[in-house]
Amino acid sequence: MSLTPATLSRRSFVVASVGAALALGVGGRAHARGRSPFGRYGSPAARLSERTLYVHPGGLGDHTTVQAAVTAAVGSGYTLVIAPGTYRETVAVSVARTGMTWIGASGDARDVVVVYDNAAGTPKPGGGTFGTTGSATTLVQADGFTARDITFANDWLRADHPEITGTQAVAIKAQGDRSAFIRCRFLGHQDTLYADSMALGTFARQYFRDCYAEGDVDFVFGRATAVFERCHFRTLTRTDLTAAPYGFVFAPSTAGANPRGYLVTGSRVTSEAPDGYYKLARPWVPSSDTTARPMLTVRETRLGAGLDAVAPYTNMSSGFPWQDQRFAEYRNTGPGAVISVPENRPQLSDAEAGAHTREAYLGDWTPWKGC
C-alpha cells in the first residue's frame, strides 16, 4: 500500500533516531569512533559488578536482545547497560526481578530504542487478539524498576491496518511500585504510556522526569500514582479524522480509595495538530472498577495552542462525567491555559496546591535525588 506522509514521518522518526546502521544492529556512534559502545559503564571485560549485564545488537555484549538479558537476570538488583541500537522485540520484566535498572549507554534516549508493533486487535498466534495490555512492547511488573535514557516505542499504525478496530498500541505498561523513568521517551499513538498498578488495591508510585511522550488518544493513562516533572507531552496530527477532537493527552483511572492520581508539574504540552484539536484529559472509569475516581492535577505547566482552552476536559462515558472526578489545575500558562469558561477549568487555591507536590504524592520515596 502507499504510505501517507504521516506514516513516513512516524516510522522514520523511530529509525532515524538511531541511524540506519543502528537499525541493522551493527553498533553505535561511540563504537564507530573507536570507543566502547557501553560508554562509561564498563563492558563484559570490565564489568561494573557481577549483577551488571551488557546488551549489544551486534554481539559485543553478554546478550543481543533486551529480553535475553532480562531472562538471565534471575533475582534482584540487576543493571542492564544497553548499547545504542534498535531492539525490535517485546520485553517483560516479571515481579520477581525487583530493583532492576536499564541504562541507555550513550546517555541519549534517541540512541536506544525498544520497539514493536502489536495493537490490541492484532491477531495472536493460536487465536484471539492481544488486547490492550498484550499489545505492550515493554511490560514492567517488578517493583523498584528504573530506566534512564531509553526510548520505549510502539510503531503500529492505523493506516497500515484498516481492518483492525482495536487500535490501542502500548509502548510500555509499568505496574510496579517505585518505578522511575529519567530522560526517557515514549512514542506511539493510542495508549502510548500505561502508568498502572498490579491490582486495584495496590497504589503503585511512579516518577517521570525530563521525559518525552507523544500520541493521540489517551496516550498517558492508567491508575498509578504518577508524578510527571519537567516532561514534554506532544499531540500528533491525524489524517484519518477531519474534525476535532483528535484525541486526549491524559486518561487516568485512579482507584476511588487512592488519594493521589496523576500529577503533572513544571512540564509542557505542545502539538503538531491544528489549534484546539486536543482535549487535555478525560476520565477512564473501566468496567472492572466502576468505583474509580480518576485524578489529574496539572500545575505550573505550559499548555500550547493545540489544546481546547474553552473545554479542555470531556467524558469518556456519559455515566461518569468529568465534573464528578478529581481534575484540577494550578498556575498554568500558555494559550491552552486561558480561562474563558471558569466552570470548565477547576483551579486549586494556594492552600490546596500545597497538597499536590511530588513529595506528597511519592511519600518516603525520593527518586529525584541524584537525577
Side-chain angles (χ1 to χ4, degrees):
M1 63 178 294
S2 62
L3 298 180
T4 67
T7 302
L8 288 169
S9 64
R10 190 70 197 87
R11 282 269 159 76
S12 63
F13 185 82
V14 172
V15 175
S17 65
V18 292
L22 297 179
L24 294 173
V26 296
R29 293 180 299 206
H31 179 55
R33 293 193 296 267
R35 298 201 301 269
S36 166
F38 304 109
R40 60 189 178 90
Y41 298 105
S43 69
R47 206 174 296 275
L48 293 186
S49 75
E50 64 180 10
R51 289 185 176 250
T52 302
L53 298 176
Y54 296 87
V55 184
H56 185 279
L60 299 180
D62 299 304
H63 303 279
T64 58
T65 69
V66 179
Q67 183 61 65
V70 170
T71 301
V74 179
S76 301
Y78 274 86
T79 295
L80 272 56
V81 179
I82 307 174
T86 297
Y87 298 86
R88 181 161 286 277
E89 57 178 304
T90 59
V91 185
V93 180
S94 69
V95 294
R97 290 169 167 80
T98 57
M100 178 173 281
T101 298
W102 293 8
I103 299 173
S106 75
D108 187 336
R110 294 171 297 182
D111 290 339
V112 178
V113 180
V114 182
V115 59
Y116 209 71
D117 61 348
N118 283 330
T122 300
K124 291 174 61 176
T129 57
F130 280 99
T132 300
T133 293
S135 76
T137 298
T138 301
L139 173 66
V140 178
Q141 297 183 313
D143 290 342
F145 179 83
T146 299
R148 299 192 191 101
D149 305 309
I150 307 281
T151 292
F152 300 90
N154 189 318
D155 62 357
W156 187 89
L157 293 167
R158 299 181 185 97
D160 289 351
H161 302 279
E163 77 285 1
I164 291 179
T165 56
T167 56
Q168 301 89 342
V170 177
I172 186 169
K173 181 173 184 177
Q175 295 180 279
D177 185 38
R178 293 173 289 108
S179 298
F181 297 85
I182 311 300
R183 299 182 302 275
C184 288
R185 296 166 69 82
F186 308 95
L187 310 181
H189 283 272
Q190 182 172 353
D191 292 6
T192 304
L193 171 54
Y194 197 168
D196 204 52
S197 71
M198 284 295 292
L200 178 59
T202 301
F203 304 155
R205 295 164 296 174
Q206 299 176 9
Y207 180 65
F208 300 81
R209 178 161 177 157
D210 296 315
C211 290
Y212 172 90
E214 70 176 27
D216 48 44
V217 178
D218 305 331
F219 66 92
V220 181
F221 74 114
R223 67 177 171 226
T225 293
V227 174
F228 301 90
E229 185 172 35
R230 300 191 331 208
C231 291
H232 179 190
F233 305 92
R234 185 158 180 82
T235 61
L236 302 175
T237 195
R238 297 184 63 173
T239 58
D240 58 320
L241 297 178
T242 58
Y246 277 178
F248 321 88
V249 182
F250 301 100
S253 57
T254 321
N258 190 348
R260 298 177 181 89
Y262 285 1
L263 171 66
V264 180
T265 179
S267 297
R268 60 187 171 123
V269 180
T270 65
S271 182
E272 64 178 44
D275 290 356
Y277 267 53
Y278 272 86
K279 303 290 187 180
L280 181 60
R282 62 177 181 172
W284 177 30
V285 179
S287 58
S288 59
D289 178 23
T290 57
T291 65
R293 284 198 66 215
M295 181 177 183
L296 169 70
T297 299
V298 181
R299 61 176 297 166
E300 296 160 314
T301 289
R302 178 172 175 78
L303 306 179
L307 295 178
D308 180 354
V310 175
Y313 307 106
T314 190
N315 300 332
M316 187 176 293
S317 169
S318 60
F320 302 99
W322 72 263
Q323 293 90 343
D324 292 346
Q325 314 311 322
R326 294 175 285 178
F327 286 179
E329 302 178 49
Y330 181 70
R331 293 188 176 180
N332 294 321
T333 59
V338 173
I339 302 172
S340 57
V341 183
E343 59 267 33
N344 287 349
R345 308 208 68 150
Q347 303 290 311
L348 297 176
S349 67
D350 290 346
E352 291 169 334
H356 295 269
T357 64
R358 68 183 181 192
E359 291 83 359
Y361 276 53
L362 301 182
D364 61 357
W365 179 47
T366 57
W368 59 87
K369 292 186 176 180
C371 288

